[in-house]
């Protein structure tokens, strides 16, 4: 479905071995019929692609083309589902059927979370294309399984351009299957997209209201809690801070009762942000410090990677609240850890904002070189996020830093 392929997908499409797929791809590159990249991916020139598609229509029967589409679509969906599952709350290899490569004995395409992350990013247009085809074909269970597996991973790639479509297709599949609880879960994911990407407060509250109704009808307590959690950004965007704090508190209470530490931490971060916005900085610090403590505690139930992500996500607003209280040294320490280069995460506004705030504090401390570096990192991140004004502001301050 996508514009390029790797050897694994080529092997599945061709029904051949990995070795034969590599040889065929290299031969086609030598003949000028394919273009290759340093990342080991191959694509057609647009005109050659049109020609190849025409030959496929002429030379293969309808049954053969249908079998080809089924084979590639199924493999892409299984592999994407397995890849997304690496980022769930369980530690280690996800408990999903091995996506496997048809006819490739011993090949393990997703041996780690890092490999899964690389595969999902590099092949996004392929697995998303497969998801669309499956949705068009009424393959609701496969579509919903794939969309659900992306729930945790989407937080690692916050500004992926396709999340609204992925979770909307998931919601439609759940509705077609008549599963109210899973439908509510996908609507909560759509609400998350509107809260972090489109910043559409009305869409956030519309999705969460529907999710609450569905969750109540199906006794899906966890999804009712998530609906309260996902509603918080909508209320904050509208300046309805009391409602935002009440929703965050309700979600935290429900997740604590369910024993879901990861979700409880998400709600506490939301509550901390609400308290900060209300000027109640000591209360904000209390919520955020609880998250930091839970992330560092043994037996929290969170994987090491998830705990590290949760800790950084709490340290950014914690540093902001410390700065507002005039506790600059502590703020610098918290913001430095929150923005330290480390595990691959998609650039996000909370990271960029934290970097800009850190740069300003470092400048006040007379640490010009460190301030300049932080402003440069913030400028680059804002540029990646498409925030031109913030990019220019940070770039100018980086240049002006002593």
């Amino acid at each position: 479905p996508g514009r390029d392929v790797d050897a694994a997908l080529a092997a599945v499409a061709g029904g051949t071995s990995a070795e034969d797929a590599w040889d065929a791809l290299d031969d086609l590159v030598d003949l000028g019929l394919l273009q290759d990249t340093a990342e080991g991916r191959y694509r057609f020139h647009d005109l050659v692609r049109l020609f190849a598609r025409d030959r496929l229509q002429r030379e293969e029967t309808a049954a053969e083309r249908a079998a080809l589409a089924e084979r590639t679509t199924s493999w892409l969906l299984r592999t994407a589902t397995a890849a997304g599952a690496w980022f769930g709350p369980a530690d280690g290899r996800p408990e999903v059927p091995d996506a496997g490569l048809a006819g490739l004995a011993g090949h393990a395409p997703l041996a780690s979370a890092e490999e899964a992350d690389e595969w999902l990013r590099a092949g996004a247009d392929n697995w998303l294309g497969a998801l669309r085809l499956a949705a068009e074909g009424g393959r609701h269970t496969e579509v919903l399984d794939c969309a659900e597996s992306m729930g945790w991973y989407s937080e690692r790639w916050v500004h992926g351009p396709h999340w609204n479509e992925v979770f909307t297709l998931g919601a439609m599949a759940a509705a077609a299957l008549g599963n109210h609880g899973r439908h509510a879960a996908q609507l909560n994911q759509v609400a998350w997209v509107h809260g972090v990407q489109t910043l559409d407060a009305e869409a956030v509250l519309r999705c969460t209201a529907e999710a609450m109704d569905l969750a109540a009808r199906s006794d899906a307590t966890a999804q009712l809690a998530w609906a309260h959690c996902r509603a918080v950004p909508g209320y904050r965007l509208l300046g309805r801070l009391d409602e935002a704090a009440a929703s965050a508190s309700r979600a935290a209470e429900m997740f604590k009762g369910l024993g879901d530490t990861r979700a409880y931490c998400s709600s506490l971060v939301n509550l901390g942000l609400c308290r900060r916005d209300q000027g109640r900085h000591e209360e904000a610090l209390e919520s955020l410090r609880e998250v930091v403590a839970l992330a560092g505690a043994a037996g929290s139930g969170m994987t090491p990677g998830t705990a590290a992500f949760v800790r950084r996500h709490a340290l950014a607003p914690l540093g902001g609240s410390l700065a507002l209280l005039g506790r600059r040294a502590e703020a610098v320490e918290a913001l430095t850890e929150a923005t330290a280069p480390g595990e691959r995460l998609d650039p996000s506004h909370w990271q960029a904002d934290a970097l800009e705030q850190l740069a300003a504090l470092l400048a006040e401390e007379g640490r010009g070189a460190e301030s300049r570096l932080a402003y440069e990192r913030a400028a680059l991140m804002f540029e990646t996020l498409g925030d031109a004004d913030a990019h220019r502001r940070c770039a100018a301050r980086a240049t002006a830093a002593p």
Side-chain angles (χ1 to χ4, degrees):
R3 290 184 56 80
D4 61 14
V5 299
D6 57 11
L9 181 54
V12 172
T16 186
S17 69
E19 293 77 12
D20 287 346
W22 279 113
D23 290 342
L25 290 166
D26 287 340
D27 287 344
L28 291 167
V29 170
D30 291 342
L31 292 166
L33 295 174
L34 278 183
Q35 301 166 337
D36 63 347
T37 68
E39 292 76 31
R41 301 191 70 81
Y42 300 81
R43 69 167 54 193
F44 288 110
H45 182 282
D46 288 346
L47 292 176
V48 177
R49 185 183 180 91
L50 289 171
F51 175 78
R53 184 176 293 147
D54 177 70
R55 301 315 301 170
L56 180 69
Q57 295 293 323
R58 290 171 181 265
E59 296 177 7
E60 306 290 340
T61 67
E64 288 169 331
R65 294 197 302 273
L68 170 62
E70 163 65 24
R71 185 165 68 245
T72 55
T73 299
S74 295
W75 181 82
L76 283 164
L77 285 178
R78 290 200 315 273
T79 306
T81 302
W86 272 102
F87 303 92
D91 200 3
R93 184 182 292 275
E95 293 184 6
V96 296
D98 188 351
L101 286 173
L104 302 185
H107 188 84
L110 304 174
S112 68
E114 291 72 22
E115 285 188 24
D117 178 59
E118 290 291 340
W119 187 89
L120 286 167
R121 290 174 187 259
D125 56 349
N126 277 306
W127 63 258
L128 180 60
L131 192 70
R132 289 175 185 141
L133 290 170
E136 291 169 6
R139 297 161 64 171
H140 305 307
T141 299
E142 291 172 87
V143 170
L144 183 54
D145 287 346
C146 185
E148 285 179 336
S149 80
M150 297 297 163
W152 290 113
Y153 177 66
S154 60
E155 292 192 2
R156 307 297 181 102
W157 190 3
V158 175
H159 291 276
H162 46 272
W163 294 132
N164 189 38
E165 182 177 8
V166 169
F167 298 129
T168 297
L169 290 174
M172 293 169 63
L177 292 169
N179 191 310
H180 294 329
R182 296 174 82 184
H183 189 185
Q186 292 304 295
L187 286 172
N188 282 330
Q189 289 299 127
V190 176
W192 171 80
V193 175
H194 289 303
V196 301
Q197 285 191 1
T198 67
L199 305 183
D200 185 338
E202 298 297 340
V204 170
L205 297 180
R206 185 170 58 252
C207 288
T208 53
E210 186 178 353
M212 287 180 194
D213 178 61
L214 288 165
R217 287 159 56 190
S218 59
D219 199 27
T221 305
Q223 292 312 317
L224 186 58
W226 273 117
H228 283 292
C229 185
R230 298 306 191 199
V232 174
Y235 289 128
R236 289 182 62 219
L237 286 166
L238 293 172
R240 294 158 59 178
L241 298 181
D242 289 343
E243 291 170 277
S247 197
S249 296
R250 179 63 177 145
E253 177 186 341
M254 294 178 75
F255 283 129
K256 189 172 186 178
L258 291 167
D260 189 336
T261 305
R262 170 68 178 86
Y264 176 61
C265 287
S266 292
S267 299
L268 286 181
V269 170
N270 271 341
L271 182 58
L273 290 168
C274 294
R275 296 307 189 205
R276 184 198 65 186
D277 292 348
Q278 293 173 311
R280 298 162 66 174
H281 301 303
E282 291 293 348
E283 293 175 65
L285 290 177
E286 183 180 349
S287 295
L288 296 166
R289 281 182 170 143
E290 183 177 353
V291 175
V292 173
L294 284 169
S300 69
M302 292 186 283
T303 67
T306 296
F309 174 80
V310 167
R311 178 180 175 85
R312 286 164 65 116
H313 203 243
L315 283 169
L318 189 149
S321 288
L322 287 168
L324 290 168
L325 289 169
R327 295 157 65 173
R328 199 159 60 200
E330 293 174 82
V332 167
E333 182 180 358
L335 289 167
T336 298
E337 183 177 347
T339 59
E343 183 180 5
R344 179 176 181 176
L345 296 173
D346 191 52
S348 64
H349 276 285
W350 71 261
Q351 295 176 69
D353 290 339
L355 276 168
E356 184 175 10
Q357 190 166 29
L358 174 61
L361 291 170
L362 289 169
E364 292 173 13
E365 293 274 288
R367 296 158 65 175
E370 294 170 85
S371 174
R372 183 169 57 254
L373 178 60
Y375 272 128
E376 288 172 350
R377 289 178 60 205
L380 180 60
M381 195 170 292
F382 279 125
E383 183 180 32
T384 301
L385 293 168
D387 191 333
D389 290 340
H391 165 69
R392 284 192 293 269
R393 181 178 66 245
C394 290
R397 290 175 180 172
T399 301

